[in-house]
Amino acid sequence: MKEQVVASRGVRRAASQQKGFVQKPARRDGSARREFNFSPRALFAYVPKALKVGLVILIVITAIVGYRAAASASMFEVKTIDVTGTSRTSAEEIQTLTRRALSKTGVWRADLTALSNELNRLPGVRSAVVTRVLPDGLRVRITERAPIAVVRTVAGHFVWVDDEGVVLGEMKPDDQMPPFFIRGWDEDGTEDARKENAARVQKYLELSHSWSAENLSERVSEVTLIDLRDIRVQLAGNDSQVEVRLGSQDAASHLKIALDELDRYKQGGRGSSITYVAVLAGRVVIGSSSGSKTASADTGSATVDSAPAAEGNQPTIANPDKPSTSERKAVTGEANSKKRDRKDGSTKDRQAGPGLRLR
């Protein structure tokens, strides 16, 4: 059997103190000590419910008023506007528009989405991203539209357009002119007109790429794209009076065919009278200002035959030295009418003559 050792009270008290237990002495009168600790939750429990609701509303109103006062403070007024990404678009115009839009709201309460949409409506801006630079600045990052073609308007002005058919502004004297420009632009400003203009620009890019690869762009002054089913080209240089009619199919390759036949036809010394070259199905038609003949050539041959062009594919050109076809028809018709009148008159006389003799 093991012997049990009972520790004295002093030893037990020391052991309990080492474990962290502290025994507080009891009061002499025998009553327990009460401790009072302040608690906001306990104090709030005594406040009536209506007063609680009113206090919450007061706090919310104070927060709103304080927010508005802080947002409209002078420290949030627009002072600096950093505009990047502009080359053709005016940075001063963008800054002026931004200051006007934020004059009442300041930087803190600025509607950045609405401001970006407003900047996107500028002619030369494709997209605009606006960010805050607290406390008093804005950063505007602009992505501009790229001018890729020049259009000659009805009024004779030359304006730049981008790949979506958006007009970017008039061409400046120091701008580099593209190889040729576009005619036949729809200036109505409607959504349908914008789509048609975008299709014209895409056709222009297609023709420009093909003709540049064949070194033909330098011989073109303008391309008329009023109707994409009837593409026409005005030549440049010594052939500036010549119009080439390409139709709608294979317009890129038809220009080379037309120019080859034109150069061959000009070797005969008749180049100054040529007014148009039309590439038809299987042949090339060359029209001259003499009004007497047009030359027709098979696109697969190397010679130009002297034959009339297909009806409906050549213009009627008046010749000042000879009467036109309509005038000749009018004169011939009048002469025939007089002959018929004389014939009818003589017939009546012959019929009436024997009648008189019977009486």
Side-chain angles (χ1 to χ4, degrees):
M1 295 181 62
K2 294 182 179 181
E3 296 181 359
Q4 295 182 356
V5 178
V6 180
S8 62
R9 292 184 178 179
V11 177
R12 288 200 301 266
R13 185 179 298 112
S16 63
Q17 288 179 356
Q18 290 178 358
K19 293 181 180 180
F21 296 98
V22 178
Q23 183 177 359
K24 296 181 180 180
R27 300 186 65 176
R28 293 182 178 181
D29 56 0
S31 61
R33 177 183 295 181
R34 290 187 177 183
E35 294 185 0
F36 179 77
N37 295 326
F38 177 78
S39 174
R41 177 180 294 182
L43 180 62
F44 196 72
Y46 293 97
V47 179
K49 187 175 182 179
L51 186 59
K52 295 178 183 179
V53 175
L55 184 60
V56 172
I57 294 175
L58 181 61
I59 294 174
V60 172
I61 293 175
T62 303
I64 294 175
V65 173
Y67 171 78
R68 290 186 175 181
S72 60
S74 60
M75 65 179 298
F76 292 113
E77 292 181 358
V78 181
K79 295 180 181 178
T80 59
I81 300 175
D82 183 19
V83 180
T84 59
T86 58
S87 59
R88 298 181 60 89
T89 309
S90 173
E92 291 76 12
E93 181 182 2
I94 294 176
Q95 290 176 348
T96 301
L97 192 151
T98 303
R99 290 184 185 277
R100 184 171 61 249
L102 274 62
S103 60
K104 297 181 179 180
T105 60
V107 175
W108 183 259
R109 293 190 298 152
D111 189 347
L112 302 185
T113 302
L115 179 58
S116 298
N117 294 334
E118 188 173 357
L119 294 176
N120 288 337
R121 287 192 287 268
L122 293 176
V125 177
R126 183 182 293 271
S127 64
V129 179
V130 185
T131 55
R132 293 184 180 91
V133 182
L134 296 177
D136 56 2
L138 284 177
R139 182 179 293 112
V140 183
R141 187 169 68 253
I142 299 295
T143 302
E144 291 185 319
R145 295 183 178 274
I148 60 174
V150 174
V151 173
R152 189 170 79 171
T153 64
V154 177
H157 301 291
F158 293 88
V159 297
W160 285 102
V161 296
D162 73 338
D163 57 344
E164 295 182 353
V166 177
V167 177
L168 306 180
E170 291 194 15
M171 186 178 65
K172 300 177 182 179
D174 56 346
D175 289 344
Q176 183 178 1
M177 180 69 183
F180 54 92
F181 54 89
I182 302 174
R183 289 190 64 186
W185 199 254
D186 194 337
E187 303 177 27
D188 289 344
T190 60
E191 183 64 20
D192 292 339
R194 189 194 65 79
K195 293 180 180 179
E196 292 177 0
N197 290 335
R200 292 184 176 98
V201 174
Q202 295 305 317
K203 176 59 68 173
Y204 164 84
L205 294 175
E206 174 188 339
L207 298 175
S208 178
H209 178 73
S210 300
W211 293 343
S212 297
E214 297 290 339
N215 296 325
L216 302 176
S217 298
E218 295 180 355
R219 299 192 64 177
V220 178
S221 173
E222 63 184 32
V223 56
T224 301
L225 300 176
I226 297 176
D227 187 355
L228 296 182
R229 297 168 298 181
D230 183 20
I231 299 174
R232 303 191 177 194
V233 170
Q234 195 72 32
L235 299 183
N238 297 330
D239 300 323
S240 59
Q241 81 283 358
V242 180
E243 179 187 69
V244 181
R245 304 173 186 178
L246 304 176
S248 61
Q249 301 295 328
D250 299 328
S253 61
H254 281 179
L255 179 63
K256 180 174 176 55
I257 297 173
L259 292 177
D260 291 342
E261 294 296 340
L262 174 63
D263 294 340
R264 185 163 50 191
Y265 188 78
K266 287 167 57 179
Q267 293 177 359
R270 296 171 292 179
S272 60
S273 62
I274 298 174
T275 57
Y276 73 90
V277 180
V279 181
L280 304 176
R283 62 176 183 168
V284 176
V285 177
I286 300 177
S288 63
S289 60
S290 62
S292 57
K293 287 184 179 181
T294 56
S296 175
D298 191 355
T299 55
S301 63
T303 60
V304 178
D305 302 328
S306 184
E311 184 179 357
N313 291 297
Q314 69 174 40
T316 302
I317 304 175
N319 186 356
D321 300 329
K322 296 181 181 180
S324 63
T325 303
S326 60
E327 291 175 347
R328 290 197 299 270
K329 288 182 178 180
V331 174
T332 304
E334 184 178 357
N336 292 336
S337 177
K338 290 181 179 180
K339 288 181 180 179
R340 285 195 300 271
D341 292 342
R342 287 197 299 269
K343 183 177 180 180
D344 293 342
S346 61
T347 303
K348 290 179 181 179
D349 292 341
R350 287 196 300 271
Q351 290 177 352
L356 290 173
R357 284 196 294 271
L358 287 174
R359 278 185 285 186

